Amino acid sequence: MEGLRTPMLVLRKADVEKILGGREKEHIELVRETYSLHDKGATAVPHSIFLRFPDQPANRIIGLPSYRGGENPAAGLKWISSFPANIHSGIARASAVMVLNSLRTGHPEALLEASLISAARTAASAALAADILTEGHRPDGVSLIGCGVINLEILRYLTAAIDTLGAVTVHDTSRARAEEFARRCRQLLPDAEVTLADSIEDALAAQRLVSFATNAGEPHVDLTAAEPGTVVLHISLRDIDPLSVNGAHNIVDDADHVCRERTSLHLTEQITGGRAFIDASIGQLINGTVRFTPDPDKVIVYSPFGLGVLDLALAVDVHATARESGIGVEVTDFLS
């Protein structure tokens, strides 16, 4: 039995950051491969568990268990919290850990700080979708609605996937946060023209590629300001009103996952009585199992729930790199 035991490896945020840095294109391809496996039925992704608090309706903790098959099978769980009021205290809204389990014994073999992994897989998924959905008509700029960690990471990954972005428009409910975010965008893309939009409508109209990454709990905007053919990365899932969703082309990562928990698509399903408004999943587009020919007069909305198997894929890669490089803290008596 001794030969089956693997020391528990603990990877801190600095360890994960060191391993993730500068590998955006690799992560996008890893996400592409994972979506392909998911479409082929080679994953197990149970519905996420939402832990909510009766006296704190804005806060939640989500558990995302997953299994990935294929050539490098793995299993694990991400446990991620969202406490929006944290930002008023100068600390991050989200925090997360990831546990990886051995498929030989079921024992936990790694514990990773996962907020960076979560941000990276979210951004890689957004960039991959933008790459696929704008093929043949590349945008020359992007509007970022919601000036937080996720949209900054999305911008970083977009520049790795699309080399035509020369303009960035930003909007946030806080003007001060938008100004600080614009400064960071200029650091990331020093040659780009970065401007602030006074309203969501102005941001929607400014660019043909738009990313929503907000804390919205209920739909609050329609898409009438967006030019036909605009690709909207609906990362936060609860921004766009159901009528606009129903009138757009809709690409998802997994319809069963995204049509839950009062997302804009869940509300659209309730109103329309079905999911006919969903055109395809991103995995189907990758594998070519569904033909998608967009109407040039419609906006295309990409709404990814954020499958735990994506976190798993990146966590496995980080874990393997850490083992090879001697990074992290080994706990030999974790299960003793």
Side-chain angles (χ1 to χ4, degrees):
M1 292 298 293
E2 288 294 331
L4 291 177
R5 292 179 181 170
T6 301
M8 181 77 159
L9 186 65
V10 178
L11 295 174
R12 299 155 295 194
K13 188 171 186 176
D15 301 325
V16 175
E17 186 174 27
K18 181 177 181 180
I19 294 169
L20 287 177
R23 299 178 59 201
E24 289 84 4
K25 290 185 177 181
E26 293 176 55
H27 299 153
I28 291 170
E29 289 309 306
L30 188 56
V31 166
R32 186 192 301 270
E33 293 166 11
T34 304
Y35 276 143
S36 175
L37 285 172
H38 185 64
D39 179 57
K40 293 174 181 176
T43 65
V45 189
H47 282 309
S48 304
I49 301 166
F50 282 73
L51 177 62
R52 301 185 185 277
F53 311 97
D55 58 341
Q56 303 177 51
N59 300 333
R60 66 189 182 191
I61 308 178
I62 309 174
L64 294 87
S66 60
Y67 165 79
R68 182 191 66 184
E71 296 180 358
N72 187 21
L77 169 75
K78 183 177 76 169
W79 184 241
I80 181 167
S81 68
S82 175
F83 281 54
N86 283 356
I87 60 175
H88 303 305
S89 301
I91 60 176
R93 172 187 62 82
S95 62
V97 294
M98 185 94 193
V99 178
L100 300 180
N101 293 80
S102 167
L103 289 179
R104 294 179 300 160
T105 65
H107 290 179
E109 57 185 7
L111 178 69
L112 303 86
E113 195 286 330
S115 67
L116 297 178
I117 290 172
S118 187
R121 68 88 159 139
T122 300
S125 170
L128 173 64
D131 181 27
I132 292 171
L133 297 174
T134 67
E135 188 175 8
H137 53 96
R138 293 299 196 203
D140 56 14
V142 59
S143 286
L144 303 173
I145 299 172
C147 295
V149 171
I150 296 301
N151 253 343
L152 189 66
E153 199 69 1
I154 285 173
L155 180 61
R156 187 190 317 279
Y157 276 76
L158 283 174
T159 59
I162 300 173
D163 60 7
T164 57
L165 301 178
V168 180
T169 302
V170 305
H171 174 74
D172 194 274
T173 54
S174 166
R175 182 74 179 187
R177 191 158 57 237
E179 290 173 350
E180 171 59 19
F181 186 82
R183 183 187 68 79
R184 299 182 70 182
C185 290
R186 293 185 184 101
Q187 289 179 332
L188 184 60
L189 289 178
D191 295 329
E193 180 184 358
V194 181
T195 58
L196 275 65
D198 292 329
S199 67
I200 290 179
E201 290 74 19
D202 288 345
L204 279 169
Q207 308 294 348
R208 296 292 295 274
L209 177 63
V210 179
S211 174
F212 278 94
T214 75
N215 294 325
E218 295 289 338
H220 59 99
V221 64
D222 62 46
L223 296 178
T224 54
E227 291 289 329
T230 296
V231 172
V232 177
L233 308 174
H234 188 206
I235 306 306
S236 36
L237 294 179
R238 294 172 178 84
D239 297 276
I240 303 172
D241 75 79
L243 289 179
S244 289
V245 170
N246 191 44
H249 283 302
N250 289 280
I251 308 299
V252 300
D253 54 1
D254 186 295
D256 287 337
H257 284 262
V258 80
C259 290
R260 295 180 70 228
E261 295 292 329
R262 293 187 59 80
T263 64
S264 294
L265 280 79
H266 186 200
L267 297 177
T268 305
E269 179 186 28
Q270 292 177 333
I271 291 170
T272 63
R275 299 177 182 174
F277 63 91
I278 298 177
D279 294 87
S281 73
I282 194 73
Q284 289 171 331
L285 297 186
I286 291 166
N287 291 334
T289 54
V290 167
R291 183 179 179 84
F292 174 58
T293 304
D295 181 338
D297 291 329
K298 285 189 173 184
V299 172
I300 302 174
V301 177
Y302 175 57
S303 299
F305 180 80
L307 301 178
V309 71
L310 301 183
D311 300 279
L312 178 65
L314 264 67
V316 168
D317 182 70
V318 169
H319 178 222
T321 302
R323 290 277 187 198
E324 293 169 1
S325 306
I327 297 173
V329 178
E330 284 195 340
V331 182
T332 58
D333 58 351
F334 186 80
L335 296 177
S336 295

